[in-house]
Amino acid sequence: GAMSIEKLQRYREQMRTELDKVVDFWQKYSHDTQYGGFFTCIGKDGKIYDELKYVWLQGRQVWMYCRLYRTMERFNKPEILEAAKSGGAFLRRFARIPNSGSPWKCAFCLTRDGKALKVQRTIFSECFYVMAMDELARVTGDKDMQAEAAQMMDQLVHWVRVDPSGLGKPQLSGDTPVCSMAVPMMLLCLVQQLTEARSGEEVDKYREVGGWCVKQILQHLQRGGTAILESVSSEGKELPGCEGRLQNPGDTLCTQLNEISLDQGFSIPVLEGQNTSGFCFSLYYRNVNQGQCVLFSQLEWSMKLWWPHCEALIAYLMAYSHTKEPALLERFSQVYDYTFSHFSDAENGEWFGYLTQQGKVTLDFKGGPFKGFFHVPRCLYMCEKILDSILNKQET
């Protein structure tokens, strides 16, 4: 009714205002005018505390600037395009490290002036390189850049589906092959990126990859649909030990943020199968059996982080827009109230990333090796777009 329309309009205005503030923060503090690219280790008030540059965050920032420039009129500004071009040029010049054994392998971390410092045996730096190059190609019309993104995508699919040895990960005798939900989830995002508003043989190839990704993701829906596990065996079975008990609410929610996945019915099992009552105060990692995670590398299990809350906001709003179920809008409202009252920094702009279980800020920087110009602006951008769509339908 009129009351819910008014509420949705209020949410949209808040998302819009907050997005403007976040974009302003990163434009003001993150641009490296000397070497190109972006600083991401940024303190509470905008001070740079480390000059290292993380390739996946460079790619994310290029993508985010381009997406805002291309699809939101108020961000169609020369300074945003120039910043994206600067980031793209920095990536193309320094991100790939051919002496790693593959011409497509990217560094994880670079020095300020672009020297490779660290490489990871995963696909995520490369994934965000693809997203950045394809989105930048869309706004500049650079066909070579688009072709480069497509070539790297082919290499990623090969590493994931055929032979991972190019990642530098030898198969060890005691190692059991494991399927991580983050991998098909990320490839699914790339499929959406590379197929948007395009047609032809290449797009059909990506759609096949997308279908494979959805099937892989559905294997993580375990225990009769009551649990979504981060890792399963290569046969899609629950794993023994700590690894098999791990849940990641952020990844669980993120699997819904793709039209291909929604079209194949993944959204509703996720929302019904998870213990959704915990998401508005979402802890970082969960043990499916006991509510806490005992993996040694995830001692931060009890913390509340920015990005699962961002994914929850998008997921509940997206699910509501598809189903019009009032309970989903109520869930969105709960996450919204908690997130904006605990993470958003009204004084300095942007969001804090790391809270204690009780909701107190434990690390007050605005960016680091994992938090850059991506989850927060992407969340605000997507929520504003979804709210626009919902309200336009209700008003016509």
Side-chain angles (χ1 to χ4, degrees):
M3 189 170 168
S4 65
I5 290 177
E6 187 180 326
K7 198 173 184 180
L8 291 170
Q9 287 172 334
R10 193 167 68 249
Y11 287 141
R12 179 174 63 179
E13 188 56 36
Q14 178 68 46
M15 296 291 181
R16 183 184 178 93
T17 302
E18 193 80 355
L19 178 57
D20 290 350
K21 289 179 181 176
V22 169
V23 172
D24 181 65
F25 183 93
W26 288 88
Q27 279 190 284
K28 193 181 294 181
Y29 300 119
S30 74
H31 297 178
D32 184 351
T33 55
Q34 183 175 352
Y35 290 101
F38 313 106
F39 299 115
T40 61
C41 295
I42 305 176
K44 177 174 73 171
D45 56 0
K47 185 177 180 181
I48 306 302
Y49 65 84
D50 196 314
E51 294 180 346
L52 294 180
K53 293 175 179 172
Y54 297 86
V55 168
W56 62 343
L57 298 186
Q58 301 292 310
R60 285 168 165 176
Q61 190 154 347
V62 170
W63 179 86
M64 193 74 246
Y65 274 153
C66 291
R67 182 56 63 104
L68 290 170
Y69 178 87
R70 183 168 70 88
T71 65
M72 278 189 163
E73 188 177 349
R74 72 183 187 273
F75 295 114
N76 192 257
K77 300 175 180 178
E79 58 267 30
I80 288 181
L81 179 58
E82 288 310 308
K85 286 180 177 178
S86 167
F90 184 84
L91 279 172
R92 294 187 90 184
R93 186 175 177 189
F94 299 117
R96 286 164 55 185
I97 42 174
N99 61 357
S100 64
S102 167
W104 299 105
K105 193 75 189 90
C106 289
F108 174 71
C109 183
L110 304 169
T111 61
R112 180 183 178 184
D113 58 355
K115 295 183 180 71
L117 192 65
K118 182 179 179 181
V119 64
Q120 286 189 326
R121 296 182 296 178
T122 62
I123 63 168
F124 301 111
S125 292
E126 292 80 9
C127 286
F128 288 105
Y129 187 99
V130 170
M131 284 183 68
M133 291 305 113
D134 187 76
E135 191 67 20
L136 187 55
R138 287 174 184 269
V139 298
T140 61
D142 189 325
K143 296 297 183 184
D144 290 340
M145 195 181 292
Q146 183 184 335
E148 183 182 348
Q151 286 177 288
M152 187 174 279
M153 177 63 170
D154 289 344
Q155 180 63 74
L156 285 169
V157 172
H158 179 81
W159 280 335
V160 171
R161 296 181 66 177
V162 182
D163 180 12
S165 61
L167 294 171
K169 294 178 74 171
Q171 182 66 45
L172 303 176
S173 60
D175 189 23
T176 304
V178 170
C179 293
S180 166
M181 188 163 67
V183 171
M185 182 187 75
M186 193 63 239
L187 283 185
L188 195 57
C189 289
L190 296 187
V191 167
Q192 187 173 26
Q193 173 67 41
L194 294 167
T195 58
E196 181 193 345
R198 289 177 179 149
S199 59
E201 190 177 317
E202 195 78 357
V203 168
D204 293 337
K205 177 181 74 175
Y206 292 138
R207 292 203 191 285
E208 186 278 326
V209 175
W212 177 86
C213 291
V214 171
K215 288 176 184 175
Q216 292 294 306
I217 291 168
L218 285 169
Q219 290 188 134
H220 295 262
L221 190 63
Q222 296 284 330
R223 302 190 181 187
T226 63
I228 297 174
L229 303 179
E230 183 69 13
S231 300
V232 295
S233 74
S234 54
E235 293 79 33
K237 305 296 182 185
E238 189 169 332
L239 294 164
C242 294
E243 190 170 23
R245 295 194 291 271
L246 177 65
Q247 290 185 299
N248 184 339
D251 277 358
T252 297
L253 288 160
C254 198
T255 55
Q256 301 167 81
L257 310 184
N258 186 291
E259 293 299 325
I260 300 170
S261 147
L262 281 166
D263 289 345
Q264 301 205 22
F266 192 63
S267 174
I268 301 310
V270 168
L271 289 172
E272 293 178 349
Q274 281 293 93
N275 176 17
T276 51
S277 61
F279 279 168
C280 54
F281 316 106
S282 185
L283 302 181
Y284 193 21
Y285 288 108
R286 307 288 292 175
N287 179 327
V288 69
N289 293 339
Q290 298 156 343
Q292 58 180 275
C293 181
V294 293
L295 279 180
F296 297 120
S297 62
Q298 288 148 4
L299 300 179
E300 71 275 39
W301 70 268
S302 65
M303 294 176 70
K304 294 171 182 170
L305 270 61
W306 82 104
W307 73 271
H309 289 76
C310 287
E311 304 302 343
L313 284 167
I314 305 167
Y316 283 123
L317 195 57
M318 185 179 282
Y320 171 73
S321 74
H322 277 255
T323 67
K324 299 301 184 289
E325 287 288 335
L328 293 170
L329 187 57
E330 179 58 32
R331 289 290 188 206
F332 169 80
S333 298
Q334 289 176 337
V335 183
Y336 173 93
D337 289 343
Y338 186 88
T339 301
F340 275 78
S341 61
H342 288 77
F343 287 95
S344 180
D345 181 0
E347 181 182 354
N348 297 290
E350 241 287 342
W351 290 14
F352 301 112
Y354 301 83
L355 310 180
T356 65
Q357 190 168 352
Q358 293 73 34
K360 293 182 179 179
V361 176
T362 184
L363 297 168
D364 68 3
F365 59 73
K366 298 300 170 53
F370 302 96
K371 184 178 185 294
F373 184 68
F374 184 66
H375 290 102
V376 175
R378 174 176 167 272
C379 165
L380 298 168
Y381 163 84
M382 290 186 72
C383 287
E384 184 182 332
K385 286 281 193 182
I386 296 166
L387 286 163
D388 277 343
S389 176
I390 294 170
L391 287 165
N392 287 342
K393 287 175 184 174
Q394 291 192 353
E395 289 166 1
T396 53

Short mmCIF file of all heavy atoms in Angstrom, two decimals, residues 99-145:
data_model
loop_
_atom_site.label_atom_id
_atom_site.label_comp_id
_atom_site.label_asym_id
_atom_site.label_seq_id
_atom_site.Cartn_x
_atom_site.Cartn_y
_atom_site.Cartn_z
N ASN A 99 56.08 -14.53 -16.29
CA ASN A 99 57.12 -15.47 -15.82
C ASN A 99 56.61 -16.42 -14.73
O ASN A 99 57.37 -17.21 -14.19
CB ASN A 99 58.35 -14.72 -15.32
CG ASN A 99 58.06 -13.80 -14.15
OD1 ASN A 99 56.91 -13.68 -13.73
ND2 ASN A 99 59.10 -13.15 -13.64
N SER A 100 55.31 -16.35 -14.43
CA SER A 100 54.72 -17.27 -13.46
C SER A 100 54.46 -18.64 -14.08
O SER A 100 54.08 -19.58 -13.39
CB SER A 100 53.40 -16.71 -12.93
OG SER A 100 52.45 -16.62 -13.99
N GLY A 101 54.62 -18.76 -15.39
CA GLY A 101 54.34 -20.02 -16.07
C GLY A 101 53.15 -19.95 -16.99
O GLY A 101 52.93 -20.82 -17.82
N SER A 102 52.34 -18.90 -16.85
CA SER A 102 51.19 -18.69 -17.73
C SER A 102 51.11 -17.20 -18.06
O SER A 102 51.26 -16.36 -17.18
CB SER A 102 49.89 -19.12 -17.05
OG SER A 102 48.77 -18.64 -17.79
N PRO A 103 50.86 -16.88 -19.33
CA PRO A 103 50.76 -15.46 -19.70
C PRO A 103 49.53 -14.77 -19.11
O PRO A 103 49.41 -13.55 -19.18
CB PRO A 103 50.68 -15.50 -21.23
CG PRO A 103 50.14 -16.86 -21.55
CD PRO A 103 50.68 -17.77 -20.49
N TRP A 104 48.63 -15.56 -18.51
CA TRP A 104 47.38 -14.99 -17.99
C TRP A 104 47.36 -14.90 -16.47
O TRP A 104 46.42 -14.35 -15.91
CB TRP A 104 46.19 -15.82 -18.49
CG TRP A 104 46.10 -15.81 -19.97
CD1 TRP A 104 46.42 -16.82 -20.82
CD2 TRP A 104 45.68 -14.72 -20.80
NE1 TRP A 104 46.24 -16.45 -22.13
CE2 TRP A 104 45.78 -15.15 -22.14
CE3 TRP A 104 45.24 -13.43 -20.55
CZ2 TRP A 104 45.44 -14.33 -23.22
CZ3 TRP A 104 44.91 -12.61 -21.62
CH2 TRP A 104 45.01 -13.06 -22.93
N LYS A 105 48.37 -15.44 -15.79
CA LYS A 105 48.36 -15.40 -14.33
C LYS A 105 48.65 -13.98 -13.85
O LYS A 105 49.56 -13.30 -14.34
CB LYS A 105 49.42 -16.35 -13.76
CG LYS A 105 49.27 -16.60 -12.26
CD LYS A 105 48.11 -17.53 -11.98
CE LYS A 105 47.80 -17.63 -10.47
NZ LYS A 105 46.82 -16.64 -10.00
N CYS A 106 47.86 -13.53 -12.88
CA CYS A 106 48.02 -12.19 -12.33
C CYS A 106 48.63 -12.25 -10.93
O CYS A 106 48.45 -13.22 -10.20
CB CYS A 106 46.66 -11.49 -12.23
SG CYS A 106 45.94 -11.01 -13.81
N ALA A 107 49.31 -11.18 -10.58
CA ALA A 107 49.77 -11.04 -9.20
C ALA A 107 48.57 -10.81 -8.30
O ALA A 107 47.50 -10.39 -8.74
CB ALA A 107 50.74 -9.87 -9.10
N PHE A 108 48.76 -11.07 -7.01
CA PHE A 108 47.75 -10.71 -6.02
C PHE A 108 48.03 -9.32 -5.48
O PHE A 108 47.12 -8.51 -5.27
CB PHE A 108 47.74 -11.72 -4.87
CG PHE A 108 46.83 -11.34 -3.74
CD1 PHE A 108 45.46 -11.40 -3.88
CD2 PHE A 108 47.35 -10.90 -2.52
CE1 PHE A 108 44.60 -11.03 -2.85
CE2 PHE A 108 46.51 -10.54 -1.48
CZ PHE A 108 45.13 -10.61 -1.64
N CYS A 109 49.32 -9.02 -5.29
CA CYS A 109 49.70 -7.76 -4.67
C CYS A 109 50.88 -7.14 -5.42
O CYS A 109 51.80 -7.85 -5.83
CB CYS A 109 50.07 -8.02 -3.20
SG CYS A 109 50.49 -6.55 -2.27
N LEU A 110 50.83 -5.82 -5.60
CA LEU A 110 51.88 -5.07 -6.29
C LEU A 110 52.40 -3.95 -5.38
O LEU A 110 51.68 -3.48 -4.49
CB LEU A 110 51.32 -4.44 -7.57
CG LEU A 110 50.65 -5.34 -8.59
CD1 LEU A 110 49.93 -4.51 -9.64
CD2 LEU A 110 51.66 -6.27 -9.25
N THR A 111 53.62 -3.53 -5.64
CA THR A 111 54.10 -2.32 -4.99
C THR A 111 53.38 -1.12 -5.61
O THR A 111 52.68 -1.24 -6.62
CB THR A 111 55.61 -2.14 -5.18
OG1 THR A 111 55.88 -2.04 -6.60
CG2 THR A 111 56.39 -3.31 -4.59
N ARG A 112 53.57 0.04 -5.01
CA ARG A 112 52.89 1.23 -5.52
C ARG A 112 53.20 1.47 -6.99
O ARG A 112 52.32 1.86 -7.77
CB ARG A 112 53.29 2.46 -4.68
CG ARG A 112 52.61 3.73 -5.16
CD ARG A 112 53.05 4.97 -4.38
NE ARG A 112 52.40 6.15 -4.93
CZ ARG A 112 52.63 7.39 -4.52
NH1 ARG A 112 53.51 7.62 -3.55
NH2 ARG A 112 52.01 8.42 -5.10
N ASP A 113 54.47 1.23 -7.39
CA ASP A 113 54.85 1.49 -8.78
C ASP A 113 54.70 0.27 -9.68
O ASP A 113 55.20 0.25 -10.80
CB ASP A 113 56.27 2.05 -8.86
CG ASP A 113 57.30 1.12 -8.24
OD1 ASP A 113 56.91 0.09 -7.67
OD2 ASP A 113 58.50 1.43 -8.32
N GLY A 114 54.02 -0.79 -9.19
CA GLY A 114 53.62 -1.88 -10.07
C GLY A 114 54.48 -3.12 -10.08
O GLY A 114 54.27 -4.01 -10.91
N LYS A 115 55.43 -3.25 -9.18
CA LYS A 115 56.25 -4.47 -9.14
C LYS A 115 55.50 -5.59 -8.41
O LYS A 115 54.93 -5.37 -7.34
CB LYS A 115 57.59 -4.20 -8.44
CG LYS A 115 58.49 -3.21 -9.16
CD LYS A 115 59.81 -3.06 -8.43
CE LYS A 115 60.72 -2.07 -9.16
NZ LYS A 115 60.24 -0.68 -9.04
N ALA A 116 55.50 -6.79 -9.00
CA ALA A 116 54.79 -7.92 -8.39
C ALA A 116 55.42 -8.29 -7.06
O ALA A 116 56.63 -8.43 -6.94
CB ALA A 116 54.81 -9.12 -9.33
N LEU A 117 54.58 -8.46 -6.06
CA LEU A 117 55.05 -8.76 -4.71
C LEU A 117 54.57 -10.12 -4.22
O LEU A 117 55.27 -10.81 -3.49
CB LEU A 117 54.54 -7.66 -3.76
CG LEU A 117 55.13 -7.60 -2.37
CD1 LEU A 117 56.61 -7.24 -2.43
CD2 LEU A 117 54.39 -6.54 -1.53
N LYS A 118 53.36 -10.51 -4.65
CA LYS A 118 52.79 -11.77 -4.16
C LYS A 118 51.84 -12.31 -5.20
O LYS A 118 51.12 -11.56 -5.87
CB LYS A 118 52.04 -11.53 -2.84
CG LYS A 118 51.44 -12.77 -2.21
CD LYS A 118 50.74 -12.43 -0.90
CE LYS A 118 50.11 -13.69 -0.28
NZ LYS A 118 49.40 -13.38 0.98
N VAL A 119 51.83 -13.64 -5.35
CA VAL A 119 50.88 -14.29 -6.25
C VAL A 119 50.12 -15.35 -5.45
O VAL A 119 50.68 -15.98 -4.56
CB VAL A 119 51.60 -14.92 -7.47
CG1 VAL A 119 52.54 -16.04 -7.04
CG2 VAL A 119 50.60 -15.43 -8.49
N GLN A 120 48.84 -15.50 -5.72
CA GLN A 120 48.04 -16.53 -5.06
C GLN A 120 47.70 -17.63 -6.05
O GLN A 120 47.56 -17.38 -7.24
CB GLN A 120 46.74 -15.92 -4.50
CG GLN A 120 46.95 -15.09 -3.25
CD GLN A 120 45.62 -14.70 -2.61
OE1 GLN A 120 44.62 -14.47 -3.30
NE2 GLN A 120 45.59 -14.63 -1.29
N ARG A 121 47.52 -18.83 -5.52
CA ARG A 121 47.20 -19.98 -6.38
C ARG A 121 45.68 -20.14 -6.50
O ARG A 121 45.14 -21.22 -6.32
CB ARG A 121 47.86 -21.23 -5.83
CG ARG A 121 49.39 -21.12 -5.85
CD ARG A 121 50.08 -22.36 -5.36
NE ARG A 121 49.82 -22.64 -3.96
CZ ARG A 121 50.28 -23.70 -3.30
NH1 ARG A 121 51.04 -24.58 -3.92
NH2 ARG A 121 50.00 -23.87 -2.03
N THR A 122 45.03 -19.02 -6.76
CA THR A 122 43.57 -19.00 -6.93
C THR A 122 43.25 -18.23 -8.22
O THR A 122 44.16 -17.77 -8.91
CB THR A 122 42.90 -18.27 -5.75
OG1 THR A 122 43.36 -16.91 -5.71
CG2 THR A 122 43.22 -18.96 -4.42
N ILE A 123 41.97 -18.06 -8.51
CA ILE A 123 41.56 -17.41 -9.76
C ILE A 123 41.01 -15.99 -9.55
O ILE A 123 40.60 -15.35 -10.51
CB ILE A 123 40.48 -18.24 -10.48
CG1 ILE A 123 39.21 -18.33 -9.63
CG2 ILE A 123 41.00 -19.61 -10.85
CD1 ILE A 123 37.99 -18.87 -10.37
N PHE A 124 41.04 -15.48 -8.33
CA PHE A 124 40.23 -14.29 -8.05
C PHE A 124 40.84 -12.99 -8.58
O PHE A 124 40.11 -12.10 -9.03
CB PHE A 124 39.92 -14.21 -6.56
CG PHE A 124 39.17 -15.43 -6.09
CD1 PHE A 124 39.76 -16.34 -5.24
CD2 PHE A 124 37.89 -15.69 -6.57
CE1 PHE A 124 39.09 -17.48 -4.84
CE2 PHE A 124 37.20 -16.82 -6.18
CZ PHE A 124 37.80 -17.73 -5.31
N SER A 125 42.15 -12.85 -8.56
CA SER A 125 42.75 -11.66 -9.18
C SER A 125 42.39 -11.62 -10.66
O SER A 125 42.03 -10.57 -11.22
CB SER A 125 44.27 -11.67 -9.02
OG SER A 125 44.65 -11.49 -7.68
N GLU A 126 42.49 -12.78 -11.31
CA GLU A 126 42.18 -12.87 -12.74
C GLU A 126 40.70 -12.59 -13.01
O GLU A 126 40.35 -11.93 -14.01
CB GLU A 126 42.54 -14.26 -13.27
CG GLU A 126 44.03 -14.55 -13.30
CD GLU A 126 44.61 -14.95 -11.94
OE1 GLU A 126 43.83 -15.17 -10.98
OE2 GLU A 126 45.84 -15.02 -11.82
N CYS A 127 39.82 -13.06 -12.13
CA CYS A 127 38.39 -12.83 -12.32
C CYS A 127 38.06 -11.34 -12.33
O CYS A 127 37.31 -10.85 -13.18
CB CYS A 127 37.59 -13.52 -11.21
SG CYS A 127 37.49 -15.32 -11.39
N PHE A 128 38.63 -10.60 -11.39
CA PHE A 128 38.33 -9.18 -11.33
C PHE A 128 39.07 -8.40 -12.41
O PHE A 128 38.64 -7.30 -12.80
CB PHE A 128 38.59 -8.64 -9.93
CG PHE A 128 37.55 -9.12 -8.95
CD1 PHE A 128 37.84 -10.11 -8.03
CD2 PHE A 128 36.26 -8.63 -8.99
CE1 PHE A 128 36.87 -10.59 -7.16
CE2 PHE A 128 35.29 -9.09 -8.13
CZ PHE A 128 35.59 -10.07 -7.20
N TYR A 129 40.15 -8.95 -12.93
CA TYR A 129 40.80 -8.37 -14.11
C TYR A 129 39.84 -8.47 -15.30
O TYR A 129 39.65 -7.50 -16.04
CB TYR A 129 42.10 -9.12 -14.39
CG TYR A 129 42.96 -8.53 -15.47
CD1 TYR A 129 44.06 -7.73 -15.18
CD2 TYR A 129 42.71 -8.79 -16.83
CE1 TYR A 129 44.87 -7.20 -16.17
CE2 TYR A 129 43.50 -8.27 -17.83
CZ TYR A 129 44.58 -7.47 -17.50
OH TYR A 129 45.37 -6.94 -18.49
N VAL A 130 39.20 -9.63 -15.47
CA VAL A 130 38.23 -9.82 -16.56
C VAL A 130 37.07 -8.83 -16.42
O VAL A 130 36.67 -8.18 -17.39
CB VAL A 130 37.70 -11.27 -16.57
CG1 VAL A 130 36.51 -11.41 -17.53
CG2 VAL A 130 38.80 -12.25 -16.96
N MET A 131 36.52 -8.74 -15.22
CA MET A 131 35.39 -7.83 -15.01
C MET A 131 35.78 -6.39 -15.33
O MET A 131 35.02 -5.66 -15.97
CB MET A 131 34.90 -7.93 -13.56
CG MET A 131 34.08 -9.16 -13.28
SD MET A 131 33.43 -9.22 -11.59
CE MET A 131 32.24 -7.87 -11.62
N ALA A 132 36.97 -5.98 -14.89
CA ALA A 132 37.42 -4.62 -15.14
C ALA A 132 37.60 -4.35 -16.63
O ALA A 132 37.13 -3.34 -17.16
CB ALA A 132 38.73 -4.37 -14.40
N MET A 133 38.30 -5.26 -17.32
CA MET A 133 38.59 -5.04 -18.74
C MET A 133 37.32 -5.03 -19.58
O MET A 133 37.16 -4.22 -20.50
CB MET A 133 39.55 -6.11 -19.25
CG MET A 133 40.96 -6.04 -18.70
SD MET A 133 41.76 -4.45 -18.95
CE MET A 133 41.90 -3.90 -17.24
N ASP A 134 36.38 -5.93 -19.27
CA ASP A 134 35.16 -5.99 -20.07
C ASP A 134 34.30 -4.75 -19.85
O ASP A 134 33.77 -4.18 -20.80
CB ASP A 134 34.36 -7.25 -19.73
CG ASP A 134 33.17 -7.42 -20.67
OD1 ASP A 134 33.38 -7.83 -21.83
OD2 ASP A 134 32.03 -7.10 -20.26
N GLU A 135 34.19 -4.32 -18.60
CA GLU A 135 33.36 -3.14 -18.33
C GLU A 135 34.01 -1.87 -18.87
O GLU A 135 33.33 -1.00 -19.41
CB GLU A 135 33.12 -3.03 -16.82
CG GLU A 135 32.06 -2.01 -16.43
CD GLU A 135 30.64 -2.35 -16.86
OE1 GLU A 135 30.37 -3.54 -17.14
OE2 GLU A 135 29.81 -1.43 -16.93
N LEU A 136 35.33 -1.77 -18.76
CA LEU A 136 36.03 -0.62 -19.33
C LEU A 136 35.92 -0.61 -20.84
O LEU A 136 35.77 0.46 -21.46
CB LEU A 136 37.50 -0.63 -18.89
CG LEU A 136 38.37 0.58 -19.25
CD1 LEU A 136 37.76 1.88 -18.74
CD2 LEU A 136 39.78 0.40 -18.71
N ALA A 137 35.97 -1.80 -21.45
CA ALA A 137 35.79 -1.89 -22.91
C ALA A 137 34.41 -1.42 -23.33
O ALA A 137 34.25 -0.82 -24.40
CB ALA A 137 36.02 -3.33 -23.38
N ARG A 138 33.42 -1.66 -22.49
CA ARG A 138 32.06 -1.23 -22.81
C ARG A 138 31.95 0.29 -22.85
O ARG A 138 31.21 0.84 -23.67
CB ARG A 138 31.06 -1.80 -21.79
CG ARG A 138 30.80 -3.29 -21.95
CD ARG A 138 29.93 -3.81 -20.81
NE ARG A 138 29.72 -5.26 -20.89
CZ ARG A 138 28.71 -5.85 -21.52
NH1 ARG A 138 27.81 -5.11 -22.16
NH2 ARG A 138 28.61 -7.17 -21.54
N VAL A 139 32.66 0.99 -21.99
CA VAL A 139 32.54 2.46 -21.96
C VAL A 139 33.51 3.15 -22.91
O VAL A 139 33.28 4.29 -23.32
CB VAL A 139 32.69 3.03 -20.53
CG1 VAL A 139 31.60 2.52 -19.63
CG2 VAL A 139 34.05 2.76 -19.95
N THR A 140 34.59 2.46 -23.29
CA THR A 140 35.57 3.08 -24.19
C THR A 140 35.45 2.59 -25.63
O THR A 140 35.99 3.21 -26.54
CB THR A 140 37.01 2.79 -23.72
OG1 THR A 140 37.23 1.37 -23.72
CG2 THR A 140 37.24 3.34 -22.32
N GLY A 141 34.78 1.44 -25.82
CA GLY A 141 34.68 0.86 -27.16
C GLY A 141 35.95 0.17 -27.62
O GLY A 141 36.11 -0.11 -28.81
N ASP A 142 36.84 -0.14 -26.70
CA ASP A 142 38.12 -0.76 -27.02
C ASP A 142 37.94 -2.26 -27.27
O ASP A 142 37.78 -3.05 -26.34
CB ASP A 142 39.11 -0.54 -25.88
CG ASP A 142 40.54 -0.96 -26.22
OD1 ASP A 142 40.71 -1.95 -26.95
OD2 ASP A 142 41.48 -0.29 -25.74
N LYS A 143 37.95 -2.67 -28.53
CA LYS A 143 37.72 -4.07 -28.89
C LYS A 143 38.86 -4.99 -28.46
O LYS A 143 38.65 -6.15 -28.11
CB LYS A 143 37.51 -4.20 -30.41
CG LYS A 143 36.27 -3.49 -30.92
CD LYS A 143 34.99 -4.09 -30.34
CE LYS A 143 33.74 -3.45 -30.90
NZ LYS A 143 32.51 -3.96 -30.25
N ASP A 144 40.09 -4.47 -28.48
CA ASP A 144 41.23 -5.27 -28.02
C ASP A 144 41.11 -5.61 -26.54
O ASP A 144 41.43 -6.72 -26.12
CB ASP A 144 42.55 -4.51 -28.26
CG ASP A 144 42.90 -4.41 -29.74
OD1 ASP A 144 42.36 -5.22 -30.53
OD2 ASP A 144 43.69 -3.52 -30.11
N MET A 145 40.65 -4.66 -25.78
CA MET A 145 40.46 -4.88 -24.35
C MET A 145 39.36 -5.92 -24.10
O MET A 145 39.49 -6.80 -23.25
CB MET A 145 40.10 -3.56 -23.67
CG MET A 145 40.22 -3.55 -22.16
SD MET A 145 39.73 -1.95 -21.47
CE MET A 145 41.05 -0.89 -22.06
#
